[in-house]
Amino acid sequence: MGSVPESNLRVILHIDLDCFYCQVEQKRLGIPREKPVAVQQWEGLIAVNYAARAAGITRHMRVAEARQKCPELICCHVQTLGDSGQDGGTVGPPPAKDRTMQKACLERYRQASQAIILLLRSLAPQAVTEKASIDEVYMDVTAIVDAEMRSRNGVPLQSVDSFAWGGIVLGGGPLAVHNEFDRRLAVGACIACRLRGAVFDKLDFTCSAGVAGNKLLAKVASAMNKPNQQTVVPPRAVASLMKDLPLKKLRNFGGKLGEQLGVLGCTTAGEVAALPHAKLVDAFGAARTHSILEAVAGRSTESVEVKDKPQSMLACKSFEPTSSKEGITRWINILAEELASRMAGDYELHARRPRNLVVHYRCGFKGGERSRSAPMPRAPPKGTVLAPAIAELAGLIFWKVVEAGGVLPTTRLAISARDFYDTPHSEQEDSIMHFMMPGNGRTDDSAGHAQHAPSAPRPPSKPRNTIKQDHAAVDGQAARDDSQAHACADANAEEPAGSGEGRGALSGFEGVSVESQRRILRDIHLERDRQNRHPPVTAAGSVSNSSAASHGKRGRPPGAAAEAKAAKPGKQMRISSLFVKK
Ligand code: DCP
């Protein structure tokens, strides 16, 4: 490896679903890809597909304005929970949604997200896969690339044409066949193509990817050519990429740091790099200056971490100030339903339960959020806590706080589950493995009804019936409004779990047939067993038997060829000409 630093030899993918909520709704409702579609939450748009973007529709536009601009726009409302039940997401003029009586529910997006990440993990168990948000994943595929390079025994790839789904090389190509790092990136690009192909083939979602030597560059790259394309960043392209890169496109530079750098006159990474060092040190101190300069130069050693289980789960609702016992109880019941459903889904997947229940509340509009916690009601063996028990305890906590004064009128309520523990093995047959057995699909009754059944085995916990005051918001989410769908959806603590309306289907697989769900789950476990013996994703080999057809049989995802053609010429080139024979 000579003097090349170790981190420069990593190969990192950032995979980002295209117009994610729209794709989920289009798939669910059978709306063709080429139709303009937007997902609305109340009267605002929170997601817009690429056909609608071409017609000038943007996120945050009001529905009325968008319809005026594009009369053929199909608006789907996010699923809502509340008085009119779990409706939502209809095509055409949606039924009126009453924000005061209903709450947004992102469950179907969480489930789709979960299905995608499970599929990616099953296809590339040697990769380290980190879920970064509801629709983006980092994958460190270095181990797969290493294996591929070893198996080629120094023989370079000559062509990756057959995997070229909209691949673009930043800075112009071709990649250098004699350069080890370029070759490694090319292998990474093939892996990305394979994975994207499998996501399309098995789950019918298109996604874009960035392929680079670190997380920072991979993320920047995946957003550069959307939809349904992938972008490779060879080392020689990094300097010019960073020079004009708007700071808001750089992770962690969008918020306060971006503002502070704006005050110093910088809007691009290159401008920050050109600032006098002393000026940066004055503003940020030496250590922070170092990390800022590393980032704006496109350098990062941050590792990809497996984060497959959310640390907590939260259901929340903001409303006009209310002191009505009836109204507040109604919301507590709805939130408890939502949380219980997610906990049940999480139990199926991860065979674990939360130790504690937290109630978060805000008084008026100005006050900060506060919370109190208590041990979660007990679940029966091989079962999960049901909504009525959660609602009862949450109500008890909330009204005790009210008795102490200072909470009413309330403007926001949230209930969260946290401090998860793994259930004993003896109980776990009821979870994911159970569903892998033929004929063992979940039924309406399978969530465990003996709600107050005595004493499921519990790890040591705080004394029961004690309510603990947590003055600060417990989760990041606790401070967010349910109308801020993205914030909630994005946060790790809000990761997918419950099955909501998906009775009869495994959570995480909404829209996928029960047979396919079982097959995917079986694949995951079989692949894990086989991990080191038969690497399932290779750059040139098949992804797996069941998905190998993704290239031959199905061809490219729709629009890939046209989109690739539309890619900027000159500075960028398609991956199909990654290598020239020398
Ligand atoms: N989202 C939201 N509110 C926001 C931003 C996003 O509710 N302010 C939701 C809707 C998106 C999903 O999160 O579909 C993912 O957000 P992205 O920013 O990744 O945007 P998209 O996936 O919609 O589009 P793109 O293809 O540009 O990534």
Side-chain angles (χ1 to χ4, degrees), residues 14-17 20-21 109-110 113-114 117 130-138 219 307 486-492 494-496:
H14 180 257
I15 296 179
D16 189 327
L17 273 291
F20 184 49
Y21 288 11
Y109 313 122
R110 291 193 190 102
S113 174
Q114 183 72 8
I117 200 154
E130 172 182 328
K131 178 168 178 165
S133 77
I134 197 161
D135 78 331
E136 53 180 336
V137 169
Y138 289 103
K219 182 168 167 73
K307 291 180 192 160
H486 188 51
C488 281
D490 248 0
N492 282 331
E494 277 282 337
E495 287 199 351

Side-chain angles (χ1 to χ4, degrees), residues 17-21 46-47 50 53 59-60 135 226 486:
L17 273 291
D18 301 318
C19 54
F20 184 49
Y21 288 11
I46 58 171
Y50 282 82
R53 291 182 205 188
R59 179 180 287 157
H60 302 314
D135 78 331
K226 276 189 144 245
H486 188 51

